Amino acid sequence: MSRQAVHNNASREVCVAGDVTIEKGLGPEGRIAVVRFDRGDGINALSPEALRQLTDAARSFEDDGDTSVVVLTGGTKSFSAGFDLKDAEGRSRQTMDMGTLRRHLKLGPRLTRAWQEMEQVTIGAIEGFCVGGGVALAVALDFRVMARDAHMRVPEIALGMNMSWQSVPRMLHLMGPARTKQAVILADDRISAEEAYEWGLVEQVAEPGKSYEAAMAQAAKVAAQPPISVAMTKLTVNRLAHALDDLASHMDLDQFALASLTDDHREGVAAFLGRRKPRFRGR
């Protein structure tokens, strides 16, 4: 991590690591924690280093018996714009051999798995836009609260890639097959907060700028419940719901690696960076 600081104020603890801030000891009996990912640029793209920081943040709760629920939020203008295509480390994937590339591509699924497998209940507060990898992270959480003027988009196919990070099974559980195909394949279509709620992609729509407050209100309800019973119930539901996810998505990393070698992927990224419409040729 690029920088780290820990501050204690009575039972409240604040830890800053890079672009991620963790605040513990909030809400009923101090059982709520907030993880805020904010790069301060209004875009909040997920660089490889940001993926590591957010993974470490999730893992920091592994032995935390004092926290029952974790609220994950981004900046006021965006939850996340997805993977940072302009980041130097991310762009270096273009020159990696297949073995190195496969290892580097594990950063994304490692992140979403860490958040899904947390013992604490997790709630995402989404403002502005939530794109690509941001959606992948959001669907790995237990609940999502979305501002009414926010939107989601899954642009991977438009970039000549496939949706990975084991996100397709998670989206399938939430929305069903047709809506999942619609969200992923029609990559240029924005999903409004109302549509996301209707489809089952989010559980609550809040007024603009109020998603964090709504998420904290929901977190307070969870935090007031018996912690051990809550944790065991979450584990049971997750084990039943996601029992076949690894089987269904174990190849999505390799599919992503293969897709990244295609001419269509190079064209998709070039078109995105050049702000033009791509011309795909199935090559």
Side-chain angles (χ1 to χ4, degrees):
M1 293 185 180
S2 56
R3 66 180 188 275
Q4 185 163 351
V6 178
H7 308 283
N8 289 289
N9 182 7
S11 61
R12 180 172 168 267
E13 177 183 315
V14 180
C15 176
V16 180
D19 297 313
V20 175
T21 301
I22 303 173
E23 187 173 2
K24 296 184 179 183
L26 305 175
E29 305 299 324
R31 301 201 67 84
I32 299 175
V34 174
V35 176
R36 186 177 301 277
F37 168 57
D38 190 356
R39 300 183 69 178
D41 57 4
I43 297 174
N44 255 16
L46 292 164
S47 66
E49 181 56 25
L51 297 179
R52 297 184 185 101
Q53 291 172 10
L54 283 164
T55 301
D56 289 344
R59 289 175 173 170
S60 72
F61 291 94
E62 286 180 357
D63 297 317
D64 183 354
D66 296 325
T67 301
S68 294
V69 55
V70 178
V71 173
L72 174 63
T73 186
T76 58
K77 296 182 179 179
S78 66
F79 184 74
S80 175
F83 189 75
D84 191 348
L85 295 174
K86 297 181 180 180
D87 179 80
E89 183 182 350
R91 289 182 68 96
S92 70
R93 289 176 173 180
Q94 299 172 10
T95 58
M96 290 178 182
D97 61 77
M98 182 57 73
T100 304
L101 177 61
R102 290 184 77 251
R103 288 189 292 274
H104 200 269
L105 289 177
K106 291 179 182 179
L107 288 173
R110 188 177 295 143
L111 164 69
T112 55
R113 182 180 291 276
W115 279 90
Q116 178 176 296
E117 293 183 349
M118 287 173 62
E119 183 171 288
Q120 294 79 9
V121 170
T122 53
I123 305 172
I126 301 169
E127 293 285 342
F129 50 84
C130 178
V131 180
V135 176
L137 176 56
V139 299
L141 307 176
D142 295 310
F143 303 105
R144 289 144 292 277
V145 179
M146 189 172 179
R148 193 174 303 281
D149 59 348
H151 72 268
M152 292 184 173
R153 191 163 65 87
V154 184
E156 273 72 6
I157 285 185
L159 294 169
M161 302 180 289
N162 64 301
M163 185 63 172
S164 59
W165 300 7
Q166 295 189 315
S167 303
V168 170
R170 296 183 182 115
M171 296 174 73
L172 187 65
H173 293 312
L174 294 171
M175 299 189 292
R179 291 300 192 192
T180 299
K181 292 173 188 173
Q182 184 174 356
V184 176
I185 294 176
L186 301 181
D188 290 333
D189 288 357
R190 291 184 174 186
I191 304 169
S192 68
E194 286 77 9
E195 288 173 324
Y197 178 76
E198 178 187 344
W199 295 1
L201 192 53
V202 303
E203 289 71 41
Q204 185 177 348
V205 175
E207 292 305 310
K210 301 294 185 180
S211 68
Y212 174 73
E213 291 181 23
M216 289 297 286
Q218 185 176 5
K221 294 179 181 179
V222 175
Q225 303 302 315
I228 297 174
S229 298
V230 168
M232 290 191 298
T233 300
K234 169 179 172 170
L235 177 63
T236 299
V237 172
N238 276 9
R239 287 292 185 267
L240 289 170
H242 301 290
L244 298 178
D245 285 5
D246 284 340
L247 178 64
S249 61
H250 74 285
M251 288 297 293
D252 74 359
L253 184 149
D254 289 315
Q255 290 170 350
F256 192 96
L258 181 63
S260 71
L261 301 177
T262 64
D263 290 342
D264 279 350
H265 170 60
R266 286 185 282 272
E267 167 62 11
V269 173
F272 171 80
L273 295 176
R275 298 184 178 182
R276 61 174 174 81
K277 190 173 181 64
R279 297 180 62 188
F280 297 124
R281 302 181 183 277
R283 301 173 182 171

